[in-house]
Amino acid sequence: MVRTSPLRGGGLEFKSRPAHQKGEQMMDEAYKKAVNLVIKNIQKAGRYITAFNTNIDAIVKVNSTSLRINKKTEEYIKKSLSSGFKREIWKIEDLYLALFLSIKRGKADEWLISRKEVYDDIAKRFSPIELRMGGQAGIMANVLGALGVETIVHCAILSEEQCSLFEKNVYAVRKMNGEYKVVPVKDAAKKGIYSTYNWIFEFAKGTEFKTETLQAIAPRDNRFIATWDPKNSKMEIDKDFKDGICGLLKNVEWFVVSGYQLLRERYNGETYADRIKESVSLLKEIRKKGVKIHLELASTHSLKIRREIVKKVFPVIDSLGFNEVEMTSFMEAMSKKVIDEHDSVSLYTGISEIMKKYGNIRRVHAHDLGYYLAITKNYLPTEILRDSLLFSSTLAATKAIHGRVTRKNIKDGLDTPISERGKEMIKKLSNHLNDENFESSWCMELNGKSLSAIATKVVKNPVSTVGLGDTISI
């Protein structure tokens, strides 16, 4: 990924320091050196492609007032909690059920809106405070573009409103005068096309969802996403992109793919398996030309779809990214069980099992609250792997502070404190690995692989939590 490619031949030489020399000052210095090193070398990165899900996010800040519900909705939530529910929004009561669950657990989650009438009802009830670039492909393209990395983005709806949200250095594929070309995405906009919004409900730690018989208090800042995205939920690939991209791969290093979480089990005349098959066919063609493939996972509720992703997509990728919850659900799809998803040892074990089963995957990067963990094989030296994680942590902190990343504000994330929970998780993993130096060096060679785990910068009051995982994985 971009945070690693420019760093070949460089790195911080502190891995041999003993554990007793660790401390906040040493960690902060490691962060600063890593960020400066990447900024110095970022222009050496080749082109990137991000696909497939790009959309517009309508940001809503929820509080106890906006979460007031009537008796009918309260009873619906209680009944659903006791008798079970589908993770889809068929009526407005399902939205409040999802918000209650997300707030109570403090978990990021995403449910599909299944009816246009419900989408319209949500638009009447809630007023967004801001419209932002949404979708993993769109968010990652913007971060890369802001860093000065040329990026080709796939966009199923090239509306003028959508295209206006992209940063510089972001391009699209268009057929012009009978020839496929890469053009600035803002010049690729198609007139007369209208956008749809995904609704992002953000809540702060301590937010209450309370009725006479129900109570949920958010244990941390997070968000819930209600998705209405007919094209992306079918993983429709833009014709110009599909037909032209393989002839436009000069200087492309990575193809970053995401969006499978939006698939439904059935469509008119098709299933999720048909949609996955079409995308995998394109990935195979691109990979044959020497471009590396990274898959960024997201919350995917259907076990059938997760199993199909594991079966068909995992074998054709080089790199994989996810958070702790996503790892647990995809390990289930592999018929594996995670003992404690909020534990660094479990995360390490899960990554190791995935890489053992799928030998083609040379890099796995996972993020949990307060720390990141990555393992590579035959790809990166340990120090460079660690420095890349330090840089991505700084980027994520900057995005949490400002809502977006620019070349001018990259270093702002450095002023954020390092997570105490992250330090605890690194210590626990260090004890598991029986290597006391790992606690202070945050990297090591292990069984022919490079391993790094870092305590991250965590912003106390983020402007937004949407896209932080995507920023981390770039």
Side-chain angles (χ1 to χ4, degrees):
M1 310 303 289
V2 71
R3 62 177 189 271
T4 58
S5 301
L7 299 179
R8 293 190 182 280
L12 307 180
E13 298 299 330
F14 73 107
K15 72 171 185 175
S16 61
R17 293 184 184 183
H20 68 270
Q21 290 185 9
K22 70 180 184 298
E24 201 77 20
Q25 185 175 357
M26 173 183 157
M27 294 174 185
D28 284 337
E29 186 63 25
Y31 263 97
K32 290 175 184 176
K33 288 183 179 180
V35 170
N36 287 332
L37 188 61
V38 175
I39 291 173
K40 181 181 177 181
N41 290 280
I42 195 91
Q43 70 275 10
K44 297 177 184 178
R47 272 184 170 180
Y48 282 67
I49 301 171
T50 62
F52 291 98
N53 56 328
T54 302
N55 57 260
I56 297 174
D57 285 343
I59 311 298
V60 177
K61 297 282 188 181
V62 297
N63 53 41
S64 56
T65 301
S66 60
L67 292 170
R68 288 175 182 166
I69 57 176
N70 58 32
K71 196 68 178 177
K72 176 187 173 184
T73 304
E74 180 182 6
E75 292 303 318
Y76 181 86
I77 293 175
K78 289 168 60 179
K79 183 178 179 180
S80 298
L81 293 175
S82 62
S83 61
F85 52 88
K86 293 182 178 180
R87 292 176 175 270
E88 290 187 33
I89 301 173
W90 287 92
K91 49 178 136 179
I92 197 66
E93 288 84 358
D94 289 320
L95 172 66
Y96 288 104
L97 167 65
L99 285 169
F100 178 82
L101 291 168
S102 191
I103 289 170
K104 187 175 183 64
R105 298 167 180 169
K107 294 285 189 184
D109 205 352
E110 181 172 2
W111 290 16
L112 297 177
I113 301 171
S114 298
R115 294 169 58 234
K116 177 68 163 54
E117 294 81 0
V118 181
Y119 172 83
D120 292 337
D121 193 0
I122 293 172
K124 292 176 183 177
R125 291 170 182 255
F126 298 94
S127 299
I129 60 170
E130 184 182 358
L131 298 179
R132 293 182 189 157
M133 176 59 68
Q136 291 157 295
I139 291 169
M140 290 189 281
N142 265 1
V143 173
L144 287 163
L147 294 175
V149 178
E150 289 189 357
T151 304
I152 301 170
V153 68
H154 173 270
C155 192
I157 303 177
L158 279 168
S159 68
E160 292 179 298
E161 185 179 31
Q162 178 76 72
C163 292
S164 70
L165 296 174
F166 282 104
E167 300 279 356
K168 293 180 180 180
N169 303 308
V170 180
Y171 300 84
V173 178
R174 286 296 302 273
K175 189 175 184 179
M176 306 174 74
N177 300 320
E179 183 181 354
Y180 293 106
K181 295 182 179 181
V182 173
V183 300
V185 70
K186 293 181 181 181
D187 295 338
K190 300 176 182 179
K191 294 183 179 180
I193 295 178
Y194 297 96
S195 308
T196 57
Y197 303 150
N198 285 353
W199 292 88
I200 314 297
F201 297 92
E202 298 193 329
F203 52 87
K205 180 180 179 179
T207 297
E208 286 189 333
F209 190 144
K210 190 175 181 180
T211 70
E212 290 183 3
T213 58
L214 295 169
Q215 182 174 11
I217 302 176
R220 58 180 282 195
D221 298 333
N222 224 316
R223 85 289 184 276
F224 170 77
I225 304 176
T227 298
W228 173 254
D229 204 343
K231 284 185 176 289
N232 282 320
S233 65
K234 198 175 179 181
M235 214 168 197
E236 286 189 16
I237 303 176
D238 177 76
K239 189 177 188 315
D240 285 355
F241 184 93
K242 180 170 60 176
D243 294 343
I245 191 63
C246 288
L248 299 168
L249 297 176
K250 185 178 180 180
N251 298 325
V252 173
E253 290 189 17
W254 282 92
F255 187 107
V256 183
V257 61
S258 58
Y260 290 100
Q261 74 276 8
L262 301 175
L263 289 172
R264 301 177 187 273
E265 291 190 6
R266 288 198 167 274
Y267 306 92
N268 291 331
E270 285 187 308
T271 70
Y272 62 92
D274 298 312
R275 306 311 306 152
I276 290 175
K277 182 179 180 180
E278 181 183 6
S279 69
V280 168
S281 177
L282 181 60
L283 296 183
K284 286 180 177 179
E285 196 174 344
I286 289 171
R287 196 164 181 248
K288 283 179 183 177
K289 295 182 180 291
V291 176
K292 295 181 285 292
I293 308 291
H294 171 79
L295 171 63
E296 188 65 20
L297 297 177
S299 178
T300 308
H301 299 305
S302 168
L303 180 58
K304 289 181 180 179
I305 294 175
R306 292 201 305 271
R307 283 176 173 161
E308 190 72 4
I309 293 169
V310 167
K311 182 180 178 182
K312 297 295 176 62
V313 186
F314 276 27
V316 301
I317 63 174
D318 303 277
S319 175
L320 184 63
F322 47 68
N323 66 21
E324 77 286 0
V325 177
E326 293 152 7
M327 184 194 74
T328 299
S329 68
F330 275 87
M331 291 295 286
E332 179 189 14
M334 294 170 56
S335 300
K336 302 283 186 179
K337 189 174 182 180
V338 176
I339 297 174
D340 181 3
E341 65 187 29
H342 299 292
D343 178 85
S344 56
V345 176
S346 291
L347 209 59
Y348 164 75
T349 302
I351 292 174
S352 299
E353 289 189 14
I354 290 171
M355 296 185 80
K356 182 179 179 181
K357 183 173 178 62
Y358 296 95
N360 54 290
I361 299 179
R362 295 188 293 150
R363 173 189 174 279
V364 179
H365 176 201
H367 56 277
D368 190 5
L369 181 64
Y371 72 101
Y372 306 156
L373 198 161
I375 300 177
T376 65
K377 61 181 179 182
N378 303 320
Y379 180 51
L380 286 175
T382 55
E383 295 89 349
I384 295 178
L385 177 61
R386 178 202 55 223
D387 296 349
S388 71
L389 297 184
L390 295 173
F391 179 68
S392 68
S393 171
T394 306
L395 278 188
T398 297
K399 183 171 174 61
I401 293 168
H402 298 293
R404 65 190 289 249
V405 175
T406 68
R407 288 297 293 265
K408 292 183 179 180
N409 71 12
I410 290 174
K411 294 186 178 182
D412 290 0
L414 288 171
D415 297 328
T416 305
I418 295 171
S419 168
E420 292 300 321
R421 179 179 187 272
K423 294 175 191 175
E424 293 173 5
M425 288 293 102
I426 304 303
K427 184 175 182 178
K428 185 169 186 178
L429 182 59
S430 178
N431 291 337
H432 174 76
L433 297 170
N434 196 27
D435 187 325
E436 64 177 16
N437 282 334
F438 184 78
E439 186 181 349
S440 58
S441 68
W442 292 355
C443 66
M444 67 183 294
E445 292 283 350
L446 183 66
N447 300 324
K449 297 182 180 68
S450 296
L451 165 66
S452 178
I454 68 160
T456 63
K457 303 278 188 175
V458 177
V459 176
K460 187 175 182 180
N461 297 303
V463 170
S464 174
T465 59
V466 177
L468 294 186
D470 307 324
T471 302
I472 290 163
S473 290
I474 285 296

